[in-house]
Amino acid sequence: MSKRKPKKRTQNYKKQIGQVPGTLIYTGNKNSDLFIDAFDYTENYFKEQELETVEHAFEFKSTESITWININGLNHIEEIEKIGNHYNLHPLVLEDIVNTGQRPKLDDHGDYIFMVLKMMYYDKDENIVSEQVSFVLGSNYVLSFQEAEGDVFDSLRERIRQSKGRIRSLGSDYLLYALIDSVADHYYAIIETMGNKIEDLEDSLFEGQTKEEITTDIQSLKREILKIRRSIFPLREIINRIDKSENKLIDEKTLHYFDDVYDHIVQITDTIDIYREMTWGLMDMYMTTISNRMNEVMKVLTIIATIFIPLTFIAGIYGMNFDNIPELHYKYSYHILWLVMIIVFIGMLYYFKRKKWL
């Protein structure tokens, strides 16, 4: 399994060598059916529908209502190109949409704004699922592009259906904010689960566990943190660019909401930095625990060896093959020798105990 993934990435990369800029090549590994759903609404009107073809999404461009069109299935290159052409998206934007290795970024094209984020969440086995999601903000619409079905926007969909909050009374720029906020909210769930993992590992290390699985868990956690860090840190720059943008697509009132998202992202990134340091410290703690345990073993072995040095010395003297050793001919020599050795043994144990070496 680990050998196939690099091979697939290398093949996708080689396909792009020598291609004309703007050539659409899907670089992901999720081949799913094309699924398009649309949320069309105003303050007093709402319609949700599943679109059978890409062409059915064309009619929403010129309506007075706000429309969120969500496209799942980036492997359907022709359909992506059709909707891109109808909404006048630049070929390089379409190329970035289907290239799932993009770094989070924001491009202002005047009559629309293009944004790439990393949508992340834990699955049931607590493995991080990371998927690229692209947004296109227009005057009365937001297009979102995902690799496959399944995302973090269910609560937002419910808010639109039930007309909860202010989303139905505001424009497409607020819809974009709500989508970004939903992605950011799940970052909180990510770091919360990560914090629990770190605490569990700390407890295991404090209890003195030094199983090999712990090192595997620590290394896996380090990789997760780096992966999350690469996905979240660029968002600070993206939100900051939105705040400084003079594009008329984003209302000045909506900028306050983006400021709130920026505060959340700063808080999340600060927490990630703390967890990163803690995870690096876990490996040091593990090595210290191993070293302490090794020192304890060496101390016990050294004490045993030290105790047996005088006993070995005594046994060596009376084990020499000399004819004239007076004590050997004494009737109780054997018993006396054992008594001396026991006294030496107990005396050394008492001495080590007083020195608190035991």
Side-chain angles (χ1 to χ4, degrees), residues 61-318:
K61 184 180 179 181
S62 57
T63 60
E64 295 182 359
S65 57
I66 304 301
T67 308
W68 171 26
I69 301 175
N70 185 48
I71 301 98
N72 296 286
L74 299 185
N75 53 303
H76 297 270
I77 300 295
E78 293 182 0
E79 283 72 14
I80 300 295
E81 193 168 14
K82 286 180 183 178
I83 196 169
N85 291 335
H86 181 79
Y87 281 86
N88 299 321
L89 303 184
H90 195 280
L92 293 179
V93 169
L94 296 178
E95 181 183 6
D96 290 341
I97 289 174
V98 297
N99 182 1
T100 57
Q102 285 293 321
R103 182 179 184 269
K105 67 175 190 175
L106 180 141
D107 293 331
D108 189 342
H109 291 267
D111 55 344
Y112 67 90
I113 294 176
F114 173 64
M115 181 183 297
V116 175
L117 300 180
K118 293 296 183 181
M119 180 174 60
M120 307 182 75
Y121 54 90
Y122 278 108
D123 61 14
K124 60 181 180 180
D125 298 322
E126 290 196 350
N127 296 317
I128 288 183
V129 177
S130 178
E131 181 181 337
Q132 177 172 301
V133 55
S134 304
F135 300 118
V136 176
L137 170 65
S139 58
N140 65 327
Y141 64 87
V142 173
L143 307 178
S144 59
F145 298 86
Q146 303 178 47
E147 288 188 75
E149 289 189 61
D151 52 38
V152 299
F153 306 127
D154 288 340
S155 60
L156 176 59
R157 292 185 177 95
E158 193 62 29
R159 283 163 54 194
I160 297 175
R161 294 186 186 108
Q162 302 297 329
S163 189
K164 293 181 179 179
R166 55 182 61 87
I167 189 166
R168 291 262 293 269
S169 60
L170 297 177
S172 58
D173 54 343
Y174 186 86
L175 174 59
L176 177 64
Y177 150 75
L179 290 166
I180 298 173
D181 188 56
S182 297
V183 173
D185 284 344
H186 278 75
Y187 290 158
Y188 278 108
I190 289 283
I191 62 175
E192 181 180 355
T193 303
M194 184 172 296
N196 294 334
K197 288 184 177 182
I198 293 175
E199 290 179 2
D200 292 341
L201 286 173
E202 282 184 338
D203 293 340
S204 299
L205 291 173
F206 278 126
E207 291 171 2
Q209 296 184 20
T210 55
K211 298 179 181 179
E212 292 184 1
E213 290 82 358
I214 291 182
T215 58
T216 304
D217 292 339
I218 293 175
Q219 292 297 335
S220 176
L221 194 58
K222 288 170 67 175
R223 287 193 295 268
E224 285 185 5
I225 289 179
L226 290 175
K227 183 178 183 180
I228 295 171
R229 195 172 187 272
R230 286 195 298 266
S231 300
I232 297 179
F233 262 63
L235 275 181
R236 299 170 67 169
E237 177 186 350
I238 290 174
I239 304 300
N240 194 35
R241 286 189 59 189
I242 291 177
D243 286 338
K244 296 179 180 179
S245 174
E246 298 180 356
N247 195 307
K248 296 181 180 180
L249 291 175
I250 300 178
D251 190 89
E252 186 176 351
K253 295 180 180 179
T254 311
L255 291 178
H256 296 293
Y257 298 105
F258 282 106
D259 289 338
D260 183 65
V261 175
Y262 181 81
D263 293 338
H264 292 169
I265 297 300
V266 170
Q267 181 182 356
I268 291 171
T269 53
D270 289 343
T271 305
I272 291 173
D273 282 337
I274 293 173
Y275 284 169
R276 185 187 182 197
E277 295 299 324
M278 291 175 66
T279 306
W280 260 248
L282 286 177
M283 184 57 72
D284 294 336
M285 187 186 301
Y286 173 78
M287 298 305 298
T288 301
T289 303
I290 292 292
S291 178
N292 290 339
R293 177 162 293 189
M294 183 64 68
N295 289 338
E296 290 294 326
V297 173
M298 293 302 298
K299 184 175 74 172
V300 172
L301 294 178
T302 302
I303 290 174
I304 293 174
T306 303
I307 291 174
F308 276 92
I309 286 175
L311 304 183
T312 304
F313 175 73
I314 295 173
I317 290 177
Y318 292 101

Side-chain angles (χ1 to χ4, degrees), residues 14-28:
K14 286 182 177 178
K15 288 179 181 178
Q16 296 181 70
I17 296 177
Q19 294 285 350
V20 177
T23 303
L24 303 191
I25 301 174
Y26 174 58
T27 59

